[in-house]
Amino acid sequence: QVQLIESGGGSVQTGDSLTLSCAASRGSFSTYAVGWFRQAPGNERQFIAAINWSRGNVYYGDSLKGRCTISTDNARNTVLLRLDNLKVEDTAVYYCAADVSGSVVFMGMGTNEPDYWGQGTQVTVSS
């Protein structure tokens, strides 16, 4: 059973960039879809982006489209999410998730509930 460990969150200022990491522990991403979500207090969970670990196809949601890039670091068994031009409203807890079906579209559209979740990493953007 894979365990997801996020890192890279922190406190930044508007306009800054940040790269979040999601590492697979106790297993590998195999053929999974691995994605990122975020949730701010009082708000619903939002899908950001997903990537299929073996095929490399990606799917982006609308919440950060144009300001984020998802990629893999195969050597470190890690999925990266780069966030650019951060805004105050991007402040949230960012979660990594994995779906064993491998479908990035199903993950993004909410058709599939991810099978695994990380503990989350806080991103705080101040003006």
Side-chain angles (χ1 to χ4, degrees), residues 29-44:
F29 288 130
S30 182
T31 59
Y32 297 176
V34 183
W36 287 92
F37 296 78
R38 68 180 183 181
Q39 188 165 21
N43 290 359
E44 292 186 353

Side-chain angles (χ1 to χ4, degrees), residues 24-103:
S25 176
R26 299 181 187 174
S28 69
F29 288 130
S30 182
T31 59
Y32 297 176
V34 183
W36 287 92
F37 296 78
R38 68 180 183 181
Q39 188 165 21
N43 290 359
E44 292 186 353
R45 187 179 71 195
Q46 288 183 320
F47 169 77
I48 300 172
I51 187 167
N52 180 282
W53 179 259
S54 60
R55 293 194 297 269
N57 55 306
V58 300
Y59 185 80
Y60 288 97
D62 292 331
S63 60
L64 274 163
K65 203 166 191 176
R67 295 194 292 119
C68 68
T69 305
I70 192 168
S71 62
T72 62
D73 182 341
N74 292 50
R76 295 195 298 157
N77 209 25
T78 297
V79 171
L80 305 173
L81 181 71
R82 178 181 169 88
L83 308 173
D84 293 313
N85 190 23
L86 284 162
K87 305 176 181 180
V88 172
E89 51 265 39
D90 294 323
T91 296
V93 179
Y94 285 69
Y95 296 93
C96 176
D99 180 350
V100 299
S101 79
S103 173

Side-chain angles (χ1 to χ4, degrees), residues 11-35:
S11 296
V12 297
Q13 295 190 319
T14 54
D16 285 351
S17 297
L18 203 60
T19 298
L20 308 181
S21 298
C22 175
S25 176
R26 299 181 187 174
S28 69
F29 288 130
S30 182
T31 59
Y32 297 176
V34 183

